[in-house]
Amino acid sequence: MPGSIIGELILQPLLEAALQVFGYWTGRIVIPTLSFGLLRIESVDRARRARPKWHGIHRAQGRGWVIDDNTTILLGLLFWGVMGIAAYVVFR
């Protein structure tokens, strides 16, 4: 019982924060690189949104396609998942 309380109160938020930071910075670097600059990550100033979002991706005026921070985290973690599967297949 005490182990589950410690896990829920301390370890779960730490793990979620680490995954979010790791996924965000991976996505922030990988997405613009792989898309050759066509996709950008949303800046801190969110008031400049031109059109409604569509699943985390929207089009900004004169800037191309912009991806929000939650979608960036998802794509960053997805990148590492694909890299893990690729490493498994290559080194198997």
Side-chain angles (χ1 to χ4, degrees):
M1 239 8 184
S4 65
I5 293 172
I6 292 172
E8 282 185 39
L9 294 178
I10 297 172
L11 297 179
Q12 184 178 1
L14 289 176
L15 181 63
E16 287 179 10
L19 283 175
Q20 286 183 358
V21 168
F22 187 67
Y24 177 76
W25 284 105
T26 299
R28 185 133 179 105
I29 294 168
V30 169
I31 292 169
T33 304
L34 292 180
S35 70
F36 299 108
L38 295 175
L39 297 174
R40 298 175 188 234
I41 307 303
E42 188 172 53
S43 64
V44 176
D45 181 24
R46 296 180 184 200
R48 301 183 70 185
R49 192 172 291 159
R51 295 186 180 164
K53 291 186 348 181
W54 178 75
H55 297 289
I57 301 173
H58 64 278
R59 196 167 174 103
Q61 294 175 342
R63 289 185 43 198
W65 293 97
V66 180
I67 299 175
D68 73 344
D69 53 353
N70 288 330
T71 306
T72 302
I73 292 169
L74 177 67
L75 292 175
L77 293 176
L78 183 66
F79 171 79
W80 284 113
V82 169
M83 289 295 110
I85 291 170
Y88 175 75
V89 169
V90 168
F91 295 117
R92 186 175 70 159

